[in-house]
């Protein structure tokens, strides 16, 4: 699902900056969101992500878990539809933007589905996976289409590809040491902390979120400090942080560490705390 998400989002973000279709005019549209107003509109990457994530999750789990096929299909359809409608409601996209985004994701899912098992096998077993997972996204980020003015699309794309790269390396590492990871005897969920299912689930969730947020804060500070020293700018200089040589390594390293932490360090901590 992470691989599908990153491929779909990269294609969507690049398509925006190549097509350069403007967002709906305001007025007459009332815009309720302004952060992404500097981006172009076609296709809607929210619609693309919602369609890709919901239906890839449904396809990947329908043969592994026992739930009615109709229920899973309806849940995926409702989730993606609600996200698409929200982009119209906030005034950020036209109907054509949303339909285009959903259709592009649908086509990509159809094209990628036959290769899912092969991609999974290569990314989990190939000794070249870590190198491939880091180098290819970095090359794509550094060669992102250039615009006449600053747009957050390159930074957002780098964030997504960085997180996916870190997670992919984490999955590969977990697979290499899967045998030893399951032979250890950690504290079993018999503690008062895990006395009920809800407490157990919440403990896992908040532990993971805390570690991920700490990782993000730490890496942002470290990477920005190093880049600021290298290129001679203060950490609070927003214009400097938008430069290619700063934005790409800053976001890629930060969020690849976040992805790695979420897939490797957080599960290890869960195991140590008896929350597995």
């Amino acid at each position: 699902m992470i691989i599908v998400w990153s491929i779909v989002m990269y294609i969507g973000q690049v398509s925006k900056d190549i097509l350069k279709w403007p967002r709906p005019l305001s007025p007459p549209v009332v815009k309720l969101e302004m952060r992404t107003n500097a981006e172009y509109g076609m296709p809607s990457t929210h619609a693309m992500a919602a369609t890709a994530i919901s239906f890839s999750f449904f396809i990947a789990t329908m043969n592994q878990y026992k739930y009615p096929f109709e229920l899973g299909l309806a849940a995926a359809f409702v989730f993606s539809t609600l996200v698409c409608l929200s982009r119209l409601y906030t005034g950020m996209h036209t109907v054509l933007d949303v339909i285009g985004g959903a259709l592009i994701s649908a086509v990509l899912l159809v094209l990628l589905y036959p290769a899912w098992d092969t991609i999974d096998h290569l990314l989990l077993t190939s000794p070249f996976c870590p190198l491939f997972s880091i180098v290819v996204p970095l090359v794509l980020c550094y060669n992102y289409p250039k615009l006449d003015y600053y747009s957050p699309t390159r930074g957002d794309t780098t964030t997504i590809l960085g997180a996916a790269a870190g997670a992919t390396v984490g999955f590969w590492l977990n697979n290499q040491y899967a045998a030893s990871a399951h032979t250890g005897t950690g504290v079993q969920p018999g503690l008062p902390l895990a006395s009920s299912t809800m407490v157990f689930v919440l403990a896992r969730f908040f532990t993971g979120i805390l570690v991920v947020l700490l990782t993000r804060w730490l890496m942002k500070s470290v990477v920005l400090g190093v880049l600021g020293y290298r290129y001679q700018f203060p950490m609070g200089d927003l214009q400097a942080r938008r430069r290619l040589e700063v934005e790409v390594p800053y976001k890629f390293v930060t969020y690849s560490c976040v992805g790695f932490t979420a897939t490797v360090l957080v599960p290890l901590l869960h195991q140590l705390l008896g929350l597995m």
Side-chain angles (χ1 to χ4, degrees):
M1 188 171 68
I2 291 176
I3 297 301
V4 171
W5 169 63
S6 58
I7 292 174
V8 164
M9 289 300 292
Y10 182 80
I11 291 174
Q13 295 284 71
V14 169
S15 298
K16 281 184 179 182
D17 290 340
I18 291 177
L19 294 174
K20 297 182 179 180
W21 286 18
R23 291 187 182 271
L25 294 177
S26 175
V29 170
V30 177
K31 294 189 176 181
L32 304 181
E33 180 184 329
M34 299 304 296
R35 178 188 172 274
T36 58
N37 199 39
E39 299 178 10
Y40 290 107
M42 178 68 174
S44 166
T45 46
H46 280 78
M48 292 182 70
T51 303
I53 291 173
S54 58
F55 281 94
S56 62
F57 182 81
F58 166 61
I59 294 169
T61 60
M62 64 181 181
N63 294 323
Q64 298 187 35
Y65 298 95
K66 293 182 179 180
Y67 61 81
F69 174 86
E70 295 79 8
L71 178 63
L73 181 61
F77 179 78
V78 169
F79 175 79
S80 57
T81 301
L82 288 175
V83 173
C84 291
L85 291 175
S86 75
R87 303 311 289 164
L88 299 177
Y89 178 76
T90 55
M92 298 309 297
H93 288 286
T94 64
V95 174
L96 186 59
D97 295 343
V98 169
I99 293 176
L103 287 178
I104 292 171
S105 276
V107 170
L108 289 173
L109 281 174
V110 171
L111 295 176
L112 290 171
Y113 178 68
W116 277 11
D117 291 339
T118 302
I119 294 172
D120 264 352
H121 177 73
L122 289 175
L123 291 179
L124 290 175
T125 60
S126 173
F128 300 105
C129 170
L131 181 65
F132 179 85
S133 300
I134 293 173
V135 171
V136 171
L138 265 179
V139 170
L140 292 175
C141 292
Y142 273 108
N143 290 277
Y144 192 84
K146 293 180 174 61
L147 297 176
D148 297 331
Y149 64 93
Y150 178 79
S151 168
T153 49
R154 184 183 64 201
D156 292 342
T157 304
T158 305
T159 297
I160 293 166
L161 294 187
T168 302
V169 173
F171 290 138
W172 177 85
L173 190 64
N174 287 337
N175 188 67
Q176 304 305 306
Y177 298 98
S180 60
H182 290 287
T183 55
T185 56
V187 180
Q188 299 302 315
L191 297 174
L193 179 66
S195 59
S196 70
T197 303
M198 184 59 68
V199 173
F200 183 70
V201 170
L202 290 176
R204 288 189 55 164
F205 175 77
F206 285 112
T207 300
I209 288 295
L210 178 62
V211 174
V212 166
L213 291 178
L214 286 173
T215 301
R216 178 176 175 269
W217 171 79
L218 177 63
M219 294 311 302
K220 283 182 70 173
S221 301
V222 171
V223 175
L224 270 181
V226 172
L227 291 171
Y229 177 79
R230 169 67 178 82
Y231 295 107
Q232 299 298 308
F233 67 86
M235 291 181 63
D237 189 342
L238 182 59
Q239 293 302 317
R241 288 162 59 174
R242 290 176 170 178
R243 288 155 44 188
L244 173 68
E245 64 273 19
V246 175
E247 184 177 57
V248 170
Y250 156 54
K251 289 187 176 290
F252 191 88
V253 173
T254 297
Y255 288 95
S256 61
C257 289
V258 167
F260 184 83
T261 297
T263 53
V264 176
L265 300 184
V266 169
L268 285 175
L269 182 60
H270 284 164
Q271 189 176 20
L272 290 174
L273 296 176
L275 297 174
M276 292 297 287

